[in-house]
Amino acid sequence: MATAVKTRQDAWKKDAGPTQCMFLTERSKISHFTNSTHLYLTETIPVPYKSWTLVPQEIGLFRKLTSLTLSNNTLSKKAIANISLCDSLKTLILTCNQITHLPPQIGRLVNLETLDISYNMLTRIQSFVCTLPSLRSLRARHNRIFDVKNIRSLGKSRIITLDLKGNLLQSFNGRFCRSKTLRHLDLSENIITHVVFFKDDLPLLERLDCEGNKIAAFNVMEQRQMTTRSNLRWLSLAKNCLKTFPNAVLRLASLETLDVSQNTLVSIPRAVEAMKHLKSFIASGNHLRSLPRELFCLPQLKLVNVASNRLHHWRYESWDPDDAILSQELHTLILSGNKLESVPPVVYGFPILEHMDLSRNKLRKFPVMFKNKKKPAIVSLDLSHNKLNHFAFAEFDNLRRLRRLNLHHNELTEIPEDITKMWFKSEVTLANNPIKWPPIDICVQGLPAIEEFYKLVEPNKST
């Protein structure tokens, strides 16, 4: 594969590494590189060349060019128009070039599959861009687009991925951007206050990112065509202004991952049981005081993250750890940063639970889960930043698979010898405890040092 040149110092020498096609500033040299398939220029052109058209008409001689990256410069209208002479282009990246609008000549790039025009000053995307016949990915991050109406002819496009992160969108209404092909839509870091669309506006949409907006209302209305079914599998409403759990989310039957973290939710409705395909539930950084039993009964649930809430205790008298309807797939449970003084027994009924985080709570006693008849599958357990003052060895007798145990920042005063026999090959963190026995300088060296200490101490006791 022919490549362009790499550095200013050796401006006309071919190089197999990352390329900087500085030859574009000297037209007499361009003909030497017309067999290139990739051109890459991210260095700012020096002052003597700024009056030049960065992309001259000679770019049309690059008949094999499939990828062009031009960033961190100022592209004129003529330069962008000249790019259309490379009709073999499949990937075009024009980031950070102070572009205010795209010329209609871009519509000639019939083979273009990926277009990245992020970090410019665009206020709209014209119809001749969206209707490019081969275009599948359009990235327009951090521009100045303030209305989805300014994304023209999206309904006639074949775009699969549309990235509008970091623009100035204030709302999202699906009727203005209907698409039969769109699968991934990024609306994060705008100033959107509400999202409304029918399921059949975006029938193939699989991933919707609305993180970092000001959304107070999220509504996915029933489809106009009864044969249409929501295909959405991944949804992020994190870092918004939601005070109540959106009922519309409960109707997204295919949803597998839901992130509603860093809002002000105070409860999760029991109707969450309708989300039969949910695998990951993230609601950290809210104001939750309790969790519904129905959440833990979702058949495909694998991860629950409710860290940094206000969980103190919740009713669990009727929760039976041996209940057959509890999720059999849950492997990660994060309850850190709450106000838990004890752990509901239902938490211990998950047969393949491997990772459990109970750090930064108010636990004074080790969880009783480890006395269950079922052998826990826990591999990683974080109990740091609690108020544990006694190492209950009997509670850990069944934890033969444990490989990481974090106990730092507790109130432990003694580490028993038996711990070294159980987890000699495990990583146990004991820092920042008022340990008196063995001496703290021994404990900080880890389990091997503790074991060696007890070997030396034992003969002295016998004598």
Side-chain angles (χ1 to χ4, degrees), residues 174-319:
R175 65 175 178 167
F176 297 119
C177 57
R178 297 173 186 170
S179 172
K180 296 181 179 180
T181 59
L182 194 64
R183 294 181 182 271
H184 309 287
L185 176 60
D186 192 339
L187 299 174
S188 61
E189 297 182 18
N190 280 271
I191 50 176
I192 298 172
T193 57
H194 60 278
V195 176
V196 178
F197 63 93
F198 283 88
K199 291 180 180 179
D200 53 349
D201 288 334
L202 302 167
L204 297 183
L205 188 65
E206 296 179 357
R207 183 184 179 96
L208 175 59
D209 192 345
C210 296
E211 178 179 338
N213 282 280
K214 299 181 178 181
I215 297 172
F218 180 85
N219 192 8
V220 181
M221 292 180 283
E222 294 301 326
Q223 56 270 25
R224 301 182 185 92
Q225 301 175 8
M226 297 306 295
T227 57
T228 304
R229 179 186 175 187
S230 172
N231 202 43
L232 196 63
R233 289 174 168 77
W234 191 98
L235 172 63
S236 176
L237 293 171
K239 299 180 182 179
N240 277 285
C241 301
L242 295 173
K243 295 182 178 180
T244 58
F245 194 90
N247 289 329
V249 173
L250 302 173
R251 298 194 294 269
L252 300 175
S254 300
L255 201 63
E256 296 179 358
T257 298
L258 174 63
D259 187 348
V260 289
S261 59
Q262 298 189 48
N263 283 279
T264 54
L265 301 176
V266 296
S267 65
I268 305 298
R270 298 181 64 180
V272 72
E273 64 182 350
M275 306 175 71
K276 300 297 185 182
H277 292 89
L278 194 66
K279 296 180 180 179
S280 297
F281 178 75
I282 305 169
S284 57
N286 280 279
H287 298 168
L288 300 176
R289 295 182 180 274
S290 64
L291 297 174
R293 178 178 185 272
E294 288 75 11
L295 173 64
F296 294 101
C297 294
L298 295 176
Q300 298 187 36
L301 193 65
K302 297 179 181 293
L303 178 147
V304 174
N305 183 349
V306 286
S308 302
N309 276 279
R310 300 178 181 179
L311 299 174
H312 181 267
H313 66 275
W314 60 88
R315 297 177 183 176
Y316 57 86
E317 291 84 356
S318 62
W319 292 23

Side-chain angles (χ1 to χ4, degrees), residues 387-454:
K387 298 181 179 181
L388 302 172
N389 55 26
H390 173 65
F391 202 105
F393 173 77
E395 306 289 0
F396 290 88
D397 191 40
N398 285 331
L399 290 183
R400 299 298 177 177
R401 295 186 59 189
L402 192 66
R403 290 295 174 265
R404 289 181 298 277
L405 175 62
N406 193 342
L407 293 169
H408 74 79
H409 278 92
N410 275 282
E411 299 175 3
L412 299 173
T413 58
E414 182 178 352
I415 306 302
E417 180 182 5
D418 290 332
I419 189 176
T420 62
K421 299 175 181 178
M422 283 181 57
W423 303 316
F424 182 75
K425 296 182 179 180
S426 301
E427 176 185 339
V428 180
T429 305
L430 298 167
N432 295 298
N433 279 279
I435 299 174
K436 297 180 180 179
W437 189 260
I440 188 61
D441 58 331
I442 299 295
C443 293
V444 296
Q445 298 178 46
L447 294 185
I450 295 175
E451 183 186 37
E452 188 65 26
F453 172 80
Y454 276 114

Side-chain angles (χ1 to χ4, degrees), residues 100-117:
T100 56
H101 71 278
L102 297 173
Q105 289 89 340
I106 290 293
R108 300 173 184 171
L109 298 175
V110 295
N111 294 306
L112 193 66
E113 298 175 358
T114 300
L115 175 61
D116 191 342
I117 46 177

